[in-house]
């Protein structure tokens, strides 16, 4: 990744779809429970990278603590996110079916927690600034432009409207 010298902002246009998805290790000793969850997440990310048409634009892997790991994902649209989540040929479908079977059978014992939050952020409700950074986060998903193209101040960037939104 090359560093973009100076101040830049994300070149997002229109709505932005953000998915936060992760896991929490409730019992470290239950490795047989949480390692498969972690592996499944990496496998889904690899599947999405191989097939960009599914709509994942970018992702950032993060940790909140030694127990909690998550991925911030930027999607092309909520429709593409839903399509991937329900596609019978996607690994997610297989994993979710297995989790549901285990839950119904009473075989999940609270060793690992899973969670997600999804946001559709309308244009005019997000802004970003990067100083001497390679494309990261929203800019990695949508591209990076010099700050002056969107406004020097946060209020200007919040007020930016692209042609995509009729602005």
């Amino acid at each position: 990744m090359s560093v973009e010298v100076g101040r830049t902002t994300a070149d997002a246009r229109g709505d932005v779809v953000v998915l936060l998805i992760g896991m929490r290790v409730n019992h470290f000793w239950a490795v047989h429970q949480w390692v498969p969850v972690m592996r499944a997440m990496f496998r889904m990310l690899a599947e999405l990278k191989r097939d960009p048409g599914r709509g994942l634009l970018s992702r950032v892997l993060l940790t909140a603590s030694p127990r909690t790991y998550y991925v911030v994902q930027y999607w092309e649209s909520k429709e593409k996110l839903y399509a991937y989540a329900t596609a019978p040929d996607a690994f997610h479908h297989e994993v979710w079916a297995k989790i549901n079977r285990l839950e119904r059978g009473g075989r999940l014992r609270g060793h690992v927690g899973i969670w997600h939050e999804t946001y559709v952020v309308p244009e005019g409700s997000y802004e970003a600034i990067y100083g001497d950074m390679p494309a990261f986060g929203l800019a990695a998903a949508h591209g990076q432009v010099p700050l002056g193209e969107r406004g020097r101040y946060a209020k200007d960037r919040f007020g930016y409207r692209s042609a995509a939104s009729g602005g």
Side-chain angles (χ1 to χ4, degrees):
M1 275 187 180
S2 64
V3 171
E4 185 71 31
V5 177
R7 292 186 177 193
T8 61
T9 190
D11 195 21
R13 299 164 191 270
D15 293 348
V16 169
V17 178
V18 182
L19 171 68
L20 309 177
I21 187 166
M23 61 173 272
R24 182 182 190 277
V25 177
N26 293 331
H27 300 114
F28 284 112
W29 51 264
V31 176
H32 65 289
Q33 294 283 339
W34 57 264
V35 166
V37 173
M38 189 174 281
R39 281 191 186 142
M41 178 55 75
F42 287 127
R43 184 170 167 190
M44 284 182 263
L45 290 171
E47 176 181 65
L48 287 161
K49 186 175 183 175
R50 283 190 308 273
D51 188 357
R54 294 221 190 240
L56 180 65
L57 299 174
S58 183
R59 88 288 186 276
V60 179
L61 299 162
L62 298 167
T63 182
S65 72
R67 290 185 180 279
T68 307
Y69 303 89
Y70 65 106
V71 185
V72 178
Q73 298 180 358
Y74 299 90
W75 283 80
E76 196 174 310
S77 68
K78 68 180 178 186
E79 292 77 19
K80 288 210 173 185
L81 172 58
Y82 295 153
Y84 175 72
T86 59
D89 66 325
F91 184 60
H92 178 271
H93 191 268
E94 179 184 327
V95 169
W96 198 240
K98 182 177 181 178
I99 288 170
N100 285 331
R101 279 192 308 275
L102 290 171
E103 230 172 41
R104 279 192 304 274
R107 291 182 298 209
L108 291 181
R109 294 182 293 265
H111 298 304
V112 61
I114 57 174
W115 62 274
H116 84 259
E117 299 174 359
T118 307
Y119 304 94
V120 178
V121 187
E123 187 170 56
S125 297
Y126 56 84
E127 74 88 29
I129 187 169
Y130 310 94
D132 300 327
M133 287 282 297
F136 180 84
L138 191 59
H142 291 277
Q144 194 170 14
V145 295
L147 196 63
E149 287 189 27
R150 296 289 176 91
R152 182 173 173 198
Y153 301 103
K155 67 180 176 75
D156 300 326
R157 292 186 299 277
F158 272 119
Y160 177 83
R161 298 295 182 271
S162 67
S165 68

